[in-house]
Amino acid sequence: MTPPPVLLDCDPGIDDALALIYLAGLHTRGDIRLVGVTTTAGNTTTRRTAVNAAWVLARCGITDVPVAAGRAEPLKAPLVTTPETHGEHGMGYVTPTVDQDVDTHWETLWDKVCAEHGESLQLIVTGPCTNLAAWLGEGSQTTAAFDSVTIMGGAVLYQGNTTPTAEWNFWVDPDAAKDVFAQASPELPVTLAPLNVTEQMLLDPLGLETLIAALGGTPIAADLPEILRFYFEFHEATGAGYQAQIHDLLTCMIALGTVAHRTTETTVDVEADSELTRGTSLADHRGHWQRPANAHLVTEADIPAAWAEFHAAARTLAQAAASR
Ligand code: RIB
Ligand code: CA
């Protein structure tokens, strides 16, 4: 069976980095074809997120996946980044460097992979929805251009991590999030993994030791302690304990169906105009808005199974590193 083509749009960012490690493992094992990685501004600037994405892939032994920096600014809101969460350069206490300058032709990459892979392409978005909204807005595209669209974002009837009601990705670019759900075709609803579920994907120092052991000689393993130490300290400082919420890794497993999870079909909309409730995600479970469903909202996932899945992908990278 042909491995499914996957396009990741992300903002590395520490939990995005673990998602990239996971996808690198599946790509190496031949379970997916990671046909491209594009990046947005959110955790850090677009250029830094692209450098970080290319660096993580290279440290996982991946050299055949194109990486391109996406739009530098949200659709309308001024860019706000979060060095206090992910570090000055978006990788904790580590400063990634890459040899060649980053490619900025992200739309060319999206057009190319969509033309080549048609409707079998699985799009995963783990940062602000800026690139997706811009791409949908500029052409006559709808989300039906993809086989599936899975987004990490939102907090549905659940406290936000950026304001009392808003999650970071949707707060950074609320207009993009709103546009995506407005254009989500009823034929192809967006799968949304909100904080309600992704905050349960918790990595602590013992879990990090287990992950590093599974990665073996994979070069990225040596970098993880100083990347995650920053993230552990941030979570401890914000009352979440000395551990880290790995939102984007779980989102990739949900997108690929490699972890058991439940969803409910609903209609999602995002507040983009009010400063007080900017980025708040709403789900109309009872049909008040009388609008067609546009989302599969993830309500639960098998977290222990997700960690086992990640460790298996890490062992694949370890075996590949050992044979190089
Ligand atoms: O709110 C969590 C999300 O915002 C994650 O994707 C994290 O990487 C940040 O982008
Ligand atoms: Ca992210």
Side-chain angles (χ1 to χ4, degrees), residues 18 201-205 207-208 211 228 232 243-246 307:
L18 295 190
M201 191 73 178
L202 289 167
L203 182 70
D204 62 16
L208 177 58
L211 171 60
L228 268 299
F232 290 157
Q243 54 187 351
Q245 299 157 353
I246 313 297
W307 285 117

Side-chain angles (χ1 to χ4, degrees), residues 11 15-16 43 86 126-127 152 161 167-169 195 247-248:
D11 66 333
D15 59 326
D16 302 75
N43 288 328
H86 292 269
T126 62
M152 191 281 131
N161 61 3
E167 175 277 329
W168 174 252
N169 288 335
L195 289 184
H247 309 275
D248 300 336

Side-chain angles (χ1 to χ4, degrees), residues 16 18-19 22 25 31 47 141 143 159 231 241 298 303 315 318:
D16 302 75
L18 295 190
Y22 174 62
D31 290 357
R47 188 186 178 285
Q141 305 288 2
T143 49
Q159 62 181 347
Y231 212 28
V298 181
I303 302 301
R315 285 191 293 273

Side-chain angles (χ1 to χ4, degrees), residues 227-243:
I227 292 172
L228 268 299
R229 179 166 70 90
F230 192 99
Y231 212 28
F232 290 157
E233 292 170 357
F234 164 77
H235 282 82
E236 185 175 52
T238 54
Y242 196 73
Q243 54 187 351

Side-chain angles (χ1 to χ4, degrees), residues 11-224:
D11 66 333
I14 297 171
D15 59 326
D16 302 75
L18 295 190
L20 279 164
I21 293 170
Y22 174 62
L23 295 177
L26 296 192
H27 181 79
T28 301
R29 199 162 64 198
D31 290 357
I32 66 168
R33 274 175 299 155
L34 187 57
V35 294
V37 174
T38 54
T39 68
T40 47
N43 288 328
T44 184
T45 63
T46 295
R47 188 186 178 285
R48 281 301 326 177
T49 56
V51 167
N52 292 343
W55 179 81
V56 170
L57 288 175
R59 302 286 283 167
C60 291
I62 303 295
T63 56
D64 61 343
V65 175
V67 176
R71 288 174 68 110
E73 301 279 340
L75 295 190
K76 295 179 187 170
L79 174 60
V80 176
T81 58
T82 179
E84 64 279 1
T85 305
H86 292 269
E88 182 186 355
H89 302 297
M91 276 298 118
Y93 291 111
V94 173
T95 304
T97 55
V98 288
D99 299 336
Q100 66 283 358
D101 203 6
V102 295
D103 178 6
T104 58
H105 301 93
W106 70 275
E107 288 161 305
T108 306
L109 179 54
W110 277 44
D111 290 343
K112 177 174 179 291
V113 298
C114 279
E116 284 177 7
H117 302 287
E119 291 166 1
S120 63
L121 183 62
Q122 302 193 41
L123 172 66
I124 306 172
V125 180
T126 62
C129 295
T130 310
N131 290 340
L132 176 55
W135 191 78
L136 291 173
E138 281 155 12
S140 55
Q141 305 288 2
T142 72
T143 49
F146 304 99
D147 177 59
S148 69
V149 177
T150 303
I151 295 173
M152 191 281 131
V156 178
L157 296 175
Y158 186 83
Q159 62 181 347
N161 61 3
T162 305
T163 70
T165 57
E167 175 277 329
W168 174 252
N169 288 335
F170 282 15
W171 183 88
V172 165
D173 197 341
D175 303 281
K178 186 176 187 68
D179 287 356
V180 166
F181 285 98
Q183 299 185 46
S185 60
E187 300 71 44
L188 191 98
V190 167
T191 297
L192 179 63
L195 289 184
N196 312 50
V197 178
T198 64
E199 282 192 345
Q200 299 169 37
M201 191 73 178
L202 289 167
L203 182 70
D204 62 16
L206 188 58
L208 177 58
E209 284 180 25
T210 305
L211 171 60
I212 289 171
L215 284 166
T218 313
I220 193 73
D223 305 296
L224 289 181

